[in-house]
Amino acid sequence: MMSIRQRREIRATEVSEDFPAQEENVKLENKLPSGCTSRRLWKILSLTIGGTIALCIGLLTSVYLATLHENDLWFSNIKEVEREISFRTECGLYYSYYKQMLQAPTLVQGFHGLIYDNKTESMKTINLLQRMNIYQEVFLSILYRVLPIQKYLEPVYFYIYTLFGLQAIYVTALYITSWLLSGTWLSGLLAAFWYVTNRIDTTRVEFTIPLRENWALPFFAIQIAAITYFLRPNLQPLSERLTLLAIFISTFLFSLTWQFNQFMMLMQALVLFTLDSLDMLPAVKATWLYGIQITSLLLVCILQFFNSMILGSLLISFNLSVFIARKLQKILNLKSDEHIFKFLKAKFGLGATRDFDANLYLCEEAFGLLPFNTFGRLSDTLLFYAYIFVLSITVIVAFVVAFHNLSDSTNQQSVGKMEKGTVDLKPETAYNLIHTILFGFLALSTMRMKYLWTSHMCVFASFGLCSPEIWELLLKSVHLYNPKRICIMRYSVPILILLYLCYKNQKS
């Protein structure tokens, strides 16, 4: 973190200037395995070990959450109707559509029942595929019909095991994101451990299985991991195309499975816009990400029978232009999901509402402010302390980089002086920094959204503790800089925290 990239200068120099601060650390790390004569062999070994651990810890997390669910409800020992009753509130409603599709004589009749539904709302016939995000239930019911598993697995188990399986993908994606940011899989391991040990505040899948967020957040985590990799400089063309494909698929699936998708992606768009405005992000890559967001949302709009909520969404309005946004929202008659806008207005004191759905959200505890005791639980595992430590340093670095990027520093002499003594913030780090700050404010205002923030908190805190740039900056600030000390700090601190977490869980 020792040089500023000048986007206003010649673009060709950007790649070569990107990571000069890490050269010394990389050389040292290449010497770590004394028995290895090949850097390539060490890299393959590290990738193999790290990848294996990622898969194992993802599967173990999935099994652990499924076991908690079983122990809490004795799910395998109760009757079928009792299992269905265990899906409380809207969870039961979502599961009923899965069951409805399975009980339909044919798939065509099942689709017809969802498109012309007269059971969900009294005295009304509504299109459920347009009104709600239930394509996941439709897909799962089709999969259950097609696969030869009916004799071995009951429909309800196929449903819940799919959700617990997605948790394995979720944790693996968090692991990979932290690994990509820090350069070591030890960071990913710490992120996964923090996610599990803080599960009260990172997930509620074991007791609210069918909730939309439990379907959507694993795809959101994959998207963040893919964006983190995409923002790296000097990617090979094939790697860049494959990463863009992964971003598109994960963004589309995230948008398809959660009704709050456009608001989450609007915050992402604000992150991209902020970084692009501060010259911390390549403009071409930001444009690609804007395009993927709009394309994904429009595809979901088509699948949801041209849902007017999506067509007049704030995300499309922001990405296309404010002028088009105003025209669209005047022309379109937003009805089906307008209660979300009304809820947001009432939530932030922008006006009262008499809408029933909006007031129902306001009455729910999950949509209230984040309780203060959340920070106490997160502090017990050292997660919150580590997060504040890393956040403080990266925010300071971001301000320094933003100041220099926005200042009049085009003079070659001043640039030459700055390159030796100032700091740098990689695009992928800058993206995750603004991401965690915005989602932190969202979580503070709405408790249900804390699961977006706390999971990323695990990633960001573990990345910082394993980051050579963070430790280099700290050691230089106290005049103790040494490449060996950087390696010692970035590996010993997370290992000590992992040992503490293991000891703490054994005692409890």
Side-chain angles (χ1 to χ4, degrees):
M1 293 168 62
M2 299 308 297
S3 69
I4 287 187
R5 293 179 298 106
Q6 298 296 326
R7 279 187 58 196
R8 294 189 181 93
E9 298 299 318
I10 300 174
R11 292 280 182 173
T13 63
E14 189 175 47
V15 172
S16 61
E17 294 177 356
D18 207 23
F19 300 120
Q22 297 185 30
E23 290 179 359
E24 199 171 2
N25 295 333
V26 170
K27 289 178 182 177
L28 177 68
E29 289 180 14
N30 293 336
K31 297 178 183 177
L32 284 178
S34 56
C36 291
T37 59
S38 170
R39 176 183 175 183
R40 185 181 182 85
L41 181 62
W42 170 247
K43 186 177 180 180
I44 293 173
L45 182 63
S46 178
L47 286 172
T48 303
I49 295 174
T52 303
I53 292 175
L55 293 175
C56 290
I57 203 163
L59 291 173
L60 287 173
T61 302
S62 176
V63 172
Y64 174 62
L65 293 173
T67 304
L68 289 176
H69 175 257
E70 170 65 26
N71 293 344
D72 185 44
L73 297 175
W74 287 75
F75 202 73
S76 60
N77 294 300
I78 58 179
K79 298 177 182 179
E80 181 70 18
V81 65
E82 293 174 319
R83 292 171 183 165
E84 294 176 1
I85 292 173
S86 70
F87 299 136
R88 305 180 184 93
T89 62
E90 71 263 39
C91 297
L93 185 65
Y94 295 133
Y95 180 79
S96 70
Y97 301 135
Y98 166 71
K99 185 178 178 181
Q100 180 180 328
M101 281 292 292
L102 289 177
Q103 292 177 342
T106 64
L107 287 176
V108 174
Q109 288 177 286
F111 272 104
H112 185 273
L114 295 178
I115 295 172
Y116 300 98
D117 176 85
N118 56 9
K119 300 176 182 178
T120 302
E121 291 191 6
S122 177
M123 306 295 291
K124 286 185 179 180
T125 299
I126 61 173
N127 184 345
L128 291 171
L129 295 177
Q130 180 189 45
R131 182 70 177 272
M132 300 183 182
N133 298 74
I134 58 169
Y135 270 101
Q136 49 267 53
E137 276 76 22
V138 173
F139 173 75
L140 216 58
S141 64
I142 295 173
L143 206 59
Y144 186 80
R145 282 172 176 264
V146 173
L147 296 176
I149 57 174
Q150 289 87 350
K151 294 181 181 179
Y152 315 104
L153 195 64
E154 297 176 48
V156 66
Y157 279 106
F158 183 63
Y159 187 89
I160 66 171
Y161 287 164
T162 300
L163 268 299
F164 288 129
L166 283 175
Q167 286 296 304
I169 296 175
Y170 191 13
V171 173
T172 303
L174 298 176
Y175 179 107
I176 291 172
T177 304
S178 187
W179 186 358
L180 288 171
L181 287 169
S182 66
T184 171
W185 54 260
L186 183 62
S187 171
L189 182 62
L190 180 58
F193 259 73
W194 262 330
Y195 177 85
V196 175
T197 54
N198 291 281
R199 64 177 180 79
I200 294 176
D201 297 299
T202 56
T203 183
R204 51 177 178 169
V205 66
E206 73 268 22
F207 59 89
T208 57
I209 296 176
L211 278 187
R212 305 298 83 181
E213 66 198 52
N214 295 328
W215 286 96
L217 292 185
F219 300 121
F220 192 56
I222 293 172
Q223 185 219 41
I224 293 172
I227 290 176
T228 300
Y229 183 75
F230 176 67
L231 293 180
R232 285 184 163 189
N234 204 23
L235 287 181
Q236 296 295 322
L238 179 60
S239 298
E240 192 170 87
R241 286 195 291 268
L242 290 175
T243 306
L244 283 171
L245 179 63
I247 294 172
F248 170 72
I249 293 174
S250 56
T251 303
F252 169 70
L253 292 175
F254 170 70
S255 303
L256 189 66
T257 52
W258 200 18
Q259 68 270 27
F260 288 104
N261 60 71
Q262 56 179 289
F263 302 106
M264 304 304 107
M265 290 199 295
L266 175 62
M267 299 190 76
Q268 278 193 322
L270 290 171
V271 172
L272 296 173
F273 178 77
T274 302
L275 295 176
D276 191 25
S277 301
L278 296 175
D279 289 339
M280 293 182 177
L281 193 69
V284 174
K285 292 191 174 184
T287 303
W288 270 108
L289 296 175
Y290 286 137
I292 286 175
Q293 283 190 334
I294 294 175
T295 305
S296 300
L297 209 57
L298 290 178
L299 284 176
V300 172
C301 179
I302 293 171
L303 287 174
Q304 290 194 292
F305 297 82
F306 296 94
N307 188 315
S308 59
M309 170 80 170
I310 298 176
L311 285 174
S313 69
L314 295 175
L315 176 64
I316 292 180
S317 302
F318 179 83
N319 283 1
L320 293 178
S321 71
V322 175
F323 174 77
I324 295 177
R326 290 177 179 175
K327 290 292 183 180
L328 280 174
Q329 295 189 4
K330 284 179 182 180
I331 294 172
L332 296 173
N333 183 22
L334 306 182
K335 291 182 178 180
S336 58
D337 286 324
E338 193 180 8
H339 60 278
I340 297 178
F341 283 119
K342 293 179 178 178
F343 159 71
L344 292 173
K345 287 177 63 178
K347 171 74 177 178
F348 296 106
L350 301 177
T353 179
R354 298 184 65 183
D355 182 82
F356 174 78
D357 293 318
N359 282 311
L360 187 62
Y361 279 146
L362 291 170
C363 290
E364 287 189 31
E365 183 183 2
F367 287 91
L369 297 175
L370 185 68
F372 189 74
N373 59 8
T374 303
F375 301 104
R377 291 192 299 269
L378 296 174
S379 300
D380 287 342
T381 60
L382 306 181
L383 172 58
F384 188 66
Y385 298 129
Y387 176 76
I388 293 298
F389 167 72
V390 176
L391 184 66
S392 301
I393 295 174
T394 47
V395 165
I396 293 172
V397 172
F399 272 117
V400 172
V401 173
F403 173 77
H404 282 293
N405 284 350
L406 294 175
S407 65
D408 185 17
S409 56
T410 57
N411 186 286
Q412 292 295 328
Q413 293 181 354
S414 62
V415 171
K417 292 178 181 177
M418 285 191 299
E419 284 180 351
K420 294 183 179 179
T422 51
V423 293
D424 177 41
L425 197 65
K426 295 183 287 185
E428 60 267 34
T429 304
Y431 169 80
N432 280 274
L433 170 64
I434 307 299
H435 176 106
T436 196
I437 291 173
L438 288 182
F439 280 87
F441 283 121
L442 182 65
L444 291 173
S445 66
T446 307
M447 185 177 70
R448 182 173 178 177
M449 300 302 168
K450 75 174 180 179
Y451 302 103
L452 287 160
W453 183 43
T454 51
S455 58
H456 194 264
M457 185 187 291
C458 300
V459 170
F460 200 77
S462 60
F463 137 71
L465 294 182
C466 297
S467 170
E469 294 92 347
I470 294 287
W471 290 113
E472 179 183 353
L473 184 65
L474 280 177
L475 291 174
K476 283 191 173 182
S477 66
V478 294
H479 306 290
L480 293 174
Y481 171 73
N482 185 295
K484 291 183 179 179
R485 290 194 182 113
I486 292 176
C487 283
I488 291 172
M489 295 301 294
R490 71 179 296 219
Y491 291 116
S492 61
V493 171
I495 288 174
L496 289 173
I497 293 177
L498 285 169
L499 292 174
Y500 169 77
L501 294 176
C502 292
Y503 171 75
K504 190 175 187 302
N505 285 337
Q506 280 185 344
K507 286 189 68 177
S508 58

